[in-house]
Amino acid sequence: MNIHFDLDRPAAESRIVVAMSGGVDSSVVAALAARTGAEVIGVTLQLYDHGEAVKRSGSCCAGQDIYDAKTVCDRLGIAHYVLDYESRFRTGVIDRFADEYAAGRTPVPCSLCNQGVKFTDLIGFARELGADCLATGHYVRRVVAAGRVELWKGRDPSRDQSYFLYGTTRNQLDFLRFPLGDLPKSETRRLAVETGLAVADKPDSQDICFVPDGDYAGLVKRLRPQTAAPGDIVDLDGRVVGSHPGVVHYTIGQRRGIEIGGQPEPLYVVRIEPEHRRLVVGPRRALAVSVASVAEINWLAEDQVAVEAKVRSLARPVAAHWNGSSLRFANPEYGVAPGQSAVFYEGERLLGGGTIVSTEAALLAA
């Protein structure tokens, strides 16, 4: 297999820094980098206090993961650094995550992390080390077309992570490398076995990395206790139809947990009003959105009007019109929630994206 890191200098004169989470993907990237003959340095982020980190495994940047990254580096004969970014991570990701839920929005913490400590800070550190590039284990493709660097979806649709990387800037793309972008996960694991890496069979991390048990509501309640206050559930006309145990337990489009009987059709969360501790519910057609306003835009391509927009990580891109501040969907879109990322594509190419701040309902007949 011939994987290139697109170095500007001969490999023997180059230095590659690899962002290592302790998982199989970044470990294989380190092994591939070492094969080039370049000097390779692995860097792992310590994102939790040491006491908590030791308890966490199967997540990202936890105690076991740091140990695994060091073990891989020792196996490859490369240097390994651990950077303590706990305070930056708490401020830039965890606190913002809790604030967004407290405001009735649905955040995407992986995007926040990639835009902050994972890329901005790590790239800065790699440059301080005199690196020629920073390589990561993300399943996306860095494509040079007509002298311009572009970001494309990973070749394997089941592994594509481009949705979470829309905030990557052009300057960052110049410095970043994604050697796994053309591979399926099965090939990555095969390479790990071939190289003799102890993490070859390590399971992929699940859920949000700083909520490994999946109980995000419990975390938010601890950090923002007001979100656990009970309140009313009202219909689209403002009539009280029930009660809830706290807005933290709900997101836009959710059906489970409403538990209101005697209704002619199933009810979904249409709007969250945390200032009034209130949930607004309605039938599924009330979730239909025609327009979404998007802010904090990062744009990687030329000006595009016709785009394919993805408004949830597991959603399919849909046709939309972009006017520079809002998306108008060609057909009503469901499950569009403020706080989520809207990411724009042209086929395989990522054009840019931003954060959904508000939506306009589509008027559908009953």
Side-chain angles (χ1 to χ4, degrees), residues 261-345:
Q263 301 296 314
E265 52 190 314
L267 296 177
Y268 299 80
V269 178
V270 175
R271 192 166 64 252
I272 300 173
E273 300 176 348
E275 66 276 15
H276 302 299
R277 305 200 305 274
R278 187 163 58 202
L279 295 180
V280 180
V281 299
R284 184 176 183 276
R285 62 181 174 276
L287 292 172
V289 166
S290 60
V291 178
S293 295
V294 185
E296 299 178 326
I297 300 296
N298 180 61
W299 202 251
L300 289 171
E302 63 278 4
D303 292 338
Q304 298 282 117
V305 174
V307 302
E308 298 165 82
K310 189 172 182 177
V311 294
R312 298 178 307 283
S313 62
L314 298 179
R316 290 180 177 274
V318 297
H321 180 279
W322 172 246
N323 69 4
S325 61
S326 64
L327 277 173
R328 180 170 294 277
F329 300 104
N331 297 295
E333 183 70 3
Y334 293 80
V336 186
Q340 289 282 81
S341 300
V343 181
F344 316 140
Y345 296 89

Side-chain angles (χ1 to χ4, degrees), residues 90-360:
R90 175 168 291 278
T91 300
V93 179
I94 299 178
D95 284 345
R96 184 168 174 182
F97 175 82
D99 287 340
E100 287 290 282
Y101 267 107
R105 296 186 286 267
T106 308
V108 185
C110 293
S111 295
L112 294 176
C113 186
N114 287 328
Q115 293 171 37
V117 295
K118 284 280 180 72
F119 279 178
T120 304
D121 293 341
L122 259 184
I123 286 175
F125 182 74
R127 290 190 185 280
E128 289 178 9
L129 292 178
D132 293 83
C133 66
L134 172 68
T136 82
H138 291 99
Y139 287 86
V140 292
R141 287 177 287 164
R142 177 184 181 273
V143 175
V144 180
R148 178 172 173 170
V149 182
E150 300 174 346
L151 189 60
W152 287 40
K153 295 178 182 178
R155 184 84 62 184
D156 181 352
S158 69
R159 299 300 303 176
D160 170 49
Q161 294 173 299
S162 59
Y163 178 82
F164 302 105
L165 298 180
Y166 76 85
T168 307
T169 66
R170 292 177 181 175
N171 286 338
Q172 289 172 340
L173 269 183
D174 285 338
F175 193 68
L176 288 164
R177 301 293 186 272
F178 307 107
L180 303 185
D182 284 306
L183 305 185
K185 185 61 175 256
S186 58
E187 179 63 12
T188 300
R189 289 201 182 277
R190 189 195 68 77
L191 288 169
V193 172
E194 177 186 284
T195 311
L197 302 182
V199 296
D201 296 323
K202 185 174 181 178
D204 292 335
S205 59
Q206 302 294 326
D207 299 310
I208 299 169
C209 71
F210 54 90
V211 195
D213 59 2
D215 183 18
Y216 75 87
L219 172 72
V220 175
K221 284 192 290 186
R222 289 195 299 273
L223 296 177
R224 304 293 182 267
Q226 71 273 19
T227 61
D232 291 332
I233 300 177
V234 303
D235 63 17
L236 296 175
D237 295 320
R239 292 186 294 262
V240 177
V241 294
S243 62
H244 65 80
V247 296
V248 69
H249 298 285
Y250 302 89
T251 56
I252 302 297
Q254 182 172 327
R255 178 181 172 187
R256 294 178 60 185
I258 297 177
E259 299 177 355
I260 298 173
Q263 301 296 314
E265 52 190 314
L267 296 177
Y268 299 80
V269 178
V270 175
R271 192 166 64 252
I272 300 173
E273 300 176 348
E275 66 276 15
H276 302 299
R277 305 200 305 274
R278 187 163 58 202
L279 295 180
V280 180
V281 299
R284 184 176 183 276
R285 62 181 174 276
L287 292 172
V289 166
S290 60
V291 178
S293 295
V294 185
E296 299 178 326
I297 300 296
N298 180 61
W299 202 251
L300 289 171
E302 63 278 4
D303 292 338
Q304 298 282 117
V305 174
V307 302
E308 298 165 82
K310 189 172 182 177
V311 294
R312 298 178 307 283
S313 62
L314 298 179
R316 290 180 177 274
V318 297
H321 180 279
W322 172 246
N323 69 4
S325 61
S326 64
L327 277 173
R328 180 170 294 277
F329 300 104
N331 297 295
E333 183 70 3
Y334 293 80
V336 186
Q340 289 282 81
S341 300
V343 181
F344 316 140
Y345 296 89
E346 180 184 57
E348 296 293 295
R349 182 168 64 125
L350 188 148
L351 303 174
T355 302
I356 299 169
V357 294
S358 64
T359 60
E360 294 180 21

